[in-house]
Amino acid sequence: MTIRVLLADDQTLLRSAFRVLVDSEPDMEVVAEAADGAEAVALTRSARADVVLMDIRMPGTDGLAATRQISADPELSHVRVVMLTTFEVDEYVVQSLRAGASGFLGKGAEPEELLNAIRVAAGGEALLSPVATKGLIARFLAQSGGAADGPESAGRSERLAALTGREREVLVLVAGGHSNDEIAVRLEVSPLTVKTHVNRAMAKLGARDRAQLVVAAYESGLVRPRVD
């Protein structure tokens, strides 16, 4: 199956370079290009994109706002967004994940890193490693006073009540940076059973992928941020 990629960046030359790279791969193709966030959202729908490479800074509607719109649209629930930026700072990473992105990549990444990011995102996995994601979120939330106070975070806290005891246990381990195989060993169950619990927790918490599940665990207050 060919991965349909949308490029969203206000720099024409950069989009052209990305198009050449992506179109050179047999398992993916660029289906559209956007110069701003509003165009990216519209083209994501019309071009039926699977993965959006989204610049975080664009004129008008920026990448974060566009990602929020894509993530909030039930008809685009299959779409995965990988944020691109020249500014690799923790705040941008966490804001990207909170907006609904599946991962984060610097524009200076090697070609193979970019191609791998597209494949990882298309497969529904988190681009950032669980350990890296957990560390970033813990540090950011600790600096901002703990779990967020917005309605979305409050909703996630309420939805925690829908989790079974085992799902909560698995969620804590996911937020701790453990892989499904590691969790399976700790809980003495099969990796497939862990995957089932992870998927059910994502559904109940409204998390699009594993990265979002880590965010939900911290923002709901189930896991408390700690800075070493």
Side-chain angles (χ1 to χ4, degrees):
M1 180 178 175
T2 301
I3 303 171
R4 300 171 63 84
V5 181
L6 186 148
L7 306 176
D9 196 295
D10 60 330
Q11 299 182 50
T12 304
L13 288 178
L14 191 58
R15 293 201 312 270
S16 297
F18 285 160
R19 175 180 280 276
V20 171
L21 178 63
V22 172
D23 283 344
S24 69
E25 297 298 297
D27 61 336
M28 60 183 72
E29 65 173 330
V30 174
V31 295
E33 295 183 25
D36 59 58
E39 188 179 19
V41 175
L43 288 174
T44 296
R45 297 190 180 101
S46 62
R48 296 181 293 110
D50 299 313
V51 175
V52 179
L53 294 183
M54 183 84 75
D55 185 14
I56 200 167
R57 287 189 170 184
M58 291 185 288
T61 303
D62 65 17
L64 290 171
T67 299
R68 291 189 190 97
Q69 291 180 42
I70 292 172
S71 300
D73 190 337
E75 295 184 0
L76 301 179
S77 60
H78 69 286
V79 178
R80 297 294 177 260
V81 177
V82 176
M83 302 299 292
L84 298 171
T85 184
T86 53
F87 304 94
E88 300 182 56
V89 295
D90 291 358
E91 288 79 4
Y92 281 149
V93 176
V94 177
Q95 287 179 47
S96 297
L97 294 174
R98 280 176 166 167
S102 296
F104 183 95
L105 201 64
K107 289 185 178 179
E110 295 294 325
E112 284 305 314
E113 289 183 273
L114 181 66
L115 295 173
N116 180 64
I118 293 172
R119 294 187 178 100
V120 169
E125 298 297 325
L127 178 56
L128 290 173
S129 70
V131 173
T133 304
K134 181 260 301 185
L136 288 167
I137 294 171
R139 186 158 62 250
F140 184 83
L141 290 180
Q143 292 171 352
S144 62
D149 298 321
E152 181 178 354
S153 299
R156 279 177 171 166
S157 297
E158 292 177 1
R159 287 196 290 272
L160 280 178
L163 297 182
T164 66
R166 181 48 64 102
E167 287 165 358
R168 281 174 175 253
E169 192 173 7
V170 168
L171 178 55
V172 170
L173 291 172
V174 168
H178 299 287
S179 68
N180 284 359
D181 288 343
E182 291 170 340
I183 296 173
V185 171
R186 281 173 171 257
L187 300 182
E188 298 182 344
V189 297
S190 72
L192 181 59
T193 297
V194 174
K195 183 177 181 180
T196 298
H197 288 311
V198 169
N199 289 340
R200 288 175 177 170
M202 285 195 293
K204 292 177 180 179
L205 293 176
R208 292 164 63 88
D209 57 24
R210 199 180 187 93
Q212 299 302 305
L213 197 60
V214 176
V215 174
Y218 278 94
E219 289 195 328
S220 67
L222 179 63
V223 177
R224 297 295 181 182
R226 177 172 61 86
V227 178
D228 296 327

